[in-house]
Amino acid sequence: VEEKECWSELAKAQLAGGNIKDAITSYIRADDESNRDSVIAEAKKSDSYEDLVKYLKMVRSKVKEASVDTELAYAYAKIGELGHLEEFIVSTPGINLQSVGDRCFDEGIFEASKIIFTSLSNWGRLASTLVKLTQYQAAVDAARKANSSKTWKEVCFACVEQEEYRLAQLCGLSIIVNADDLEDVSEFYQGRGKNEELIALMEAGLGLERSHMGIFTELGILYAKYKLDKLMEHLKLFSNKINIPKLIRVCEEQMHWK
C-alpha cells in the first residue's frame, strides 16, 4: 500500500511539472484514478493520446463512467486505432458517440467519424463525412437514407464541384421536386457555368412523378438563355405547365422578341 501511495505522490509531482508521460506511468503503477480529470485535461493539452489510452484503460478497470468511455473512444480515434474504436463502440453502451463523432469531424478525423456516424445511423452527418472523404457514391447512398433537403444539396453541390455529374443528377432529382429548393440548385449550377448539366437535370426532372410547374418553367428559362432552338418545341408541348409570364420576362431580358 505504501508503495502505491509513493507512486501517487510522484505522479502528482510529475503532473504538476508538466511531465504527462511519466505522470501517467506513475498513476498506472499506483493504480490510482482519483486525479483523472486533471490527467485527461493535461494529456489532451499535450496531445499525449497514446499514453492517455493506457491510463483510461486503467481507470475503466476501477470506475464505470460514460465520460471515461467517451474520452477513451475519442483517444482511440485520435491515434488512428480504428479497429479498437469499432470494437469498443460495439461492446460499450453509454458512450456519447454523437459528441465524439462531431469532434472527430471538426478536427478532420474523417475515417473515425465515418465509423461513428454509421454506428449511430446518423445518415446526414455520415453523408457530410463521406463527402470529405471524396466517397461520393457512398455519400449519395447516405443522403438517400437521410432524405433531407439540406443533405441532398450538400452532396449534390460537392459532386458538381468534382464533376461527378451523374451522381449530382441523382441528388438533384430529389431536390428539384421541392419548388422552394429548385432555385438554389439552378443558381449553383449556373454560377459555375454548368449549364449543359443543369439542362440535363431539368430535362430528367420532367418525367418525375412529383414534377411541377417550377421544373417546366425553369427548363424553359434555361432554353431561352442557352438553347434557344429548343424553346418553341418546349412551349408547344408544355404550355399548360409553364408559368408563361415568368418565361416572357426572361425572353424580354434576352431580347427574344419572336
Side-chain angles (χ1 to χ4, degrees), residues 219-235:
L219 182 56
I221 289 169
L222 294 170
Y223 285 155
K225 286 181 173 181
Y226 309 116
K227 282 197 172 182
L228 188 57
D229 59 311
K230 300 192 77 171
L231 178 57
M232 288 308 295
E233 183 186 1
H234 184 64
L235 279 166

Side-chain angles (χ1 to χ4, degrees), residues 160-178:
V160 172
E161 295 279 24
Q162 296 301 315
E163 300 184 354
E164 294 279 357
Y165 299 124
R166 182 186 65 82
L167 296 175
Q169 185 173 116
L170 284 173
C171 297
L173 290 171
S174 293
I175 304 168
I176 64 173
V177 290
N178 299 308

Side-chain angles (χ1 to χ4, degrees), residues 27-44:
Y27 273 121
I28 290 171
R29 293 191 71 163
D31 201 28
D32 180 5
E33 46 69 42
S34 61
N35 201 20
R36 61 182 177 275
D37 290 344
S38 296
V39 175
I40 291 169
E42 289 301 316
K44 288 163 75 172

